[in-house]
Amino acid sequence: MSSVPGQPGVTAVPTTDPVLPAEADLRALFGESVALFASMAGPAHLLEAANPAFFAAVGRAGEPRTGVPIGQLLPELAEQGFLTLLDRVYRTGTPYAGRDARVVLGTGADAREAFFDFTYEPRRDEGGNVNGVRMVGVETTRTIYAQRLTAEHRALLEQIARQAPLHETLEGMAQAIEELSPGVLVSVLLADEDGRRLRHGAAPSLPAFYNEAIDGIAAGEGVGSCGTAAHRRSPVIVSDIATDPFWDDFRELAGRADLAACWSTPILGRDGTLLGTFAMYHTTPREPGEADLALADVFAGTAGLAIERHRAERARLAAEAREKAARDDLAFLLRASTALGADLDPTQTLRALADLCVPALAPLCAVDVVEQGRVRRVATAAPTAAERALLASHIPVYDADDDAVARVLGTGLSEVARRTPTGPGPWHDLKVTGYVCVPLVERGQTLATLTLLSTGDHVLDGHDVALAEELARRAASATRNARQYTQRVALARDLQAGLLLPDLPDLPGAEIATYYHPAGEGLEIGGDFYDVWPLDDGSWAFMLGDVSGRGALAATTTALVRHTARAVAPLLPGPEDVVHAVNRALIRRPGEHGTGFVTLVHGHVRPAGPGLDIDLVRAGHTLPVHIDADGARAIVSEGPLLGIMPHPELATYRLHLAPGESLALYTDGITEARDPAGEQFGDDRLTRALTGAGGQAHAVLESLTRAVQDFTGPGSMDDDQAILILTATG
């Protein structure tokens, strides 16, 4: 054993164990233990000698006393059994050793908990008789506390590792420190992301009014201990709040909370970012010791880990929330685009727009369009039918200065307000509290507005405005497409009508029935056509054909065929000459008018006694069908496609229809019609459908079209369909 420098008569216990890093940290934190010595005589255990470390450990450093019984000097030892142990050693002469023995020294408010390793050894005279007891010991209080602190620190790290809630971790840390350091009141403040203000984090033992008062204090010079430490990024020690200028603005508050000292340590991230402050308060003025500063550093670092983990987790969750919101927005816009493009009617498109917005974006929605200088409300959406009707009854005024719709129509700019619209309207009845009005712009011109209305506690935020503007952009595009489609359909319908007979003529001794149905939705002009017209000699000409292709070029070719045939038929002797003339016209047409081929059946019909005489020419077309009482059979007449070769070989086929007999002409869209399995209708089904169809043209037509529709089922066709039925009436 060796003497401890500066403390005469006090000896230190030597050690040969290597000092581990953790042990070195604990020694730096709690200091070195000091050996205690006391010698007591007689059965009364009269204190004869003791070193200063003994009196310091038992709390009598300022009044070392000898010559009195130990029980009188430290009466609290009797209640804890230590005097009984002394008696036993004195009587038996047997030493007694205690390890980490707990003892409460002092009484009342001055009592403190301490731990000791000690040995009671009998003291003997020259004759070997026990005449006293010698006590040698080492206080282990700090070691015990270090072990507790290590356990608490490990528990806190485990909480951080399992991502326990931040407030739970900080509260546990504060309570652990307060248990380990009696008299200390812990507070943790959390810095805002910008580091300008400090918010309440944990302070389990400070008064609630105090925590509320300092919640949100600025990080700045002279703003108490914590605000100054946050500003300086270094510890700030205030040992006496009553006199320190840092506490001028908080001195009264601290007095009400019975706080007299505050040592604050900034909590910094690994990159130096301010995360918060760790403060240790005392109710009496006090300077920190080395252990106090070390304790603050250890737990400020631990709190920093917890806060950084919390921020990282919060950032991750925020990123996931933003990603989910972005996915939800994208899914919403994709559904919206599908809904807006589902109907090719402009008004229905705008109604779909209103339905999309409620309740996804707002409780109420209205869509207004400008037509011929007036505003018309074309769509509304609301939770109830009554609210929808009330909103629909309001018509904005196009040129009113106090109407949001009018302003947006005029400026082409969105308008957002968290108040009731200023113009007249059912705003009070609908309990409107705010609105967003965005334009639907088509090629720089505002054609409509989308108005979202909030009610009650609902608030339209920037996210809603952005979605509304994107919806308006997509709706404007869909509406433009719908209008263009409607215009093109109308144009196609008008052109198609110009290429077909508006009304069927009355033929003497004959009945006519026709059918035409374009493939798809009628956006393009079909390639099938038919015509019937009178000739100068009292006979009639008819034709049914199919132009390859669709659209404008097909219409040009159809017009060329019909007009050529109508022009030359009165001048030529028969249908064969007319078809040759049509072929020459097709061969000589300009290249920009198309180069497609044509299939055609053209003939002349005239009354002949009780019935009709027919001369016809077939040029590459489907075979005509003759229907009489015996059934239906194809008319085989050879002839090539038109528009391919300059001099096709054609033949005229002559046919007499008796009363009740019919001639059926049709395009390949009939025989090539397919069922859901892909099988074609074909010639055999055509013949069966026409057999026994009856002696009237309309009955024949109905029998054929019904058979085709039953075969194909619902759905669009792949090709145009045209039918011409001629029936002799007699």
Side-chain angles (χ1 to χ4, degrees), residues 698-723:
H698 287 88
V700 174
L701 179 65
E702 182 180 357
S703 177
L704 178 56
T705 55
R706 184 172 61 249
V708 174
Q709 291 168 1
D710 291 343
F711 176 76
T712 60
S716 61
M717 298 177 298
D718 296 330
D719 197 4
D720 305 324
Q721 294 178 347
I723 302 173

Side-chain angles (χ1 to χ4, degrees), residues 610-625:
L612 300 174
D613 284 339
I614 298 177
D615 294 339
L616 63 84
V617 174
R618 171 180 170 267
H621 201 72
T622 54
L623 297 176
V625 176

Side-chain angles (χ1 to χ4, degrees), residues 374-393:
R374 298 178 65 86
V375 178
R376 183 168 71 93
R377 179 150 290 176
V378 296
T380 57
T384 66
E387 290 172 314
R388 182 191 290 264
L390 188 59
L391 188 59
S393 66

Side-chain angles (χ1 to χ4, degrees), residues 364 420 426-434 454-456:
L364 303 170
T420 303
W427 318 128
H428 177 73
D429 295 336
L430 292 172
K431 300 179 176 59
V432 174
T433 57
S454 59
T455 61

Side-chain angles (χ1 to χ4, degrees), residues 153-165 169 302 305-306 309-310 313:
H153 191 249
R154 184 183 299 111
L156 291 173
L157 293 177
E158 289 176 355
Q159 281 186 305
I160 296 171
R162 72 168 188 268
Q163 297 184 349
T169 302
T302 305
L305 290 176
R309 174 62 67 88
H310 171 72
E313 180 65 12

Side-chain angles (χ1 to χ4, degrees), residues 134 153 169 196 354 388 448 569 580 583 594 606 623 630 653 723:
R134 182 183 299 111
H153 191 249
T169 302
R196 295 181 179 180
R388 182 191 290 264
H580 276 294
N583 184 69
R606 66 184 61 83
L623 297 176
D630 297 328
Y653 185 90
I723 302 173

Side-chain angles (χ1 to χ4, degrees), residues 23-33 142 149 181 184 235 237 263 265 278 280 282 286-299:
E23 182 68 18
D25 290 341
L26 292 176
R27 289 188 179 184
L29 186 60
F30 296 100
E32 298 289 346
S33 297
R142 291 177 176 175
L149 176 61
S181 301
V184 170
I237 307 301
W263 317 326
T265 302
F278 171 81
M280 301 171 70
H282 289 271
R286 181 179 168 185
E287 289 282 348
E290 181 182 354
D292 296 318
L293 297 178
L295 184 68
D297 285 341
V298 168
F299 278 94

Side-chain angles (χ1 to χ4, degrees), residues 7-25:
Q7 295 191 26
V10 179
T11 57
V13 179
T15 178
T16 59
D17 295 333
V19 179
L20 299 176
E23 182 68 18
D25 290 341

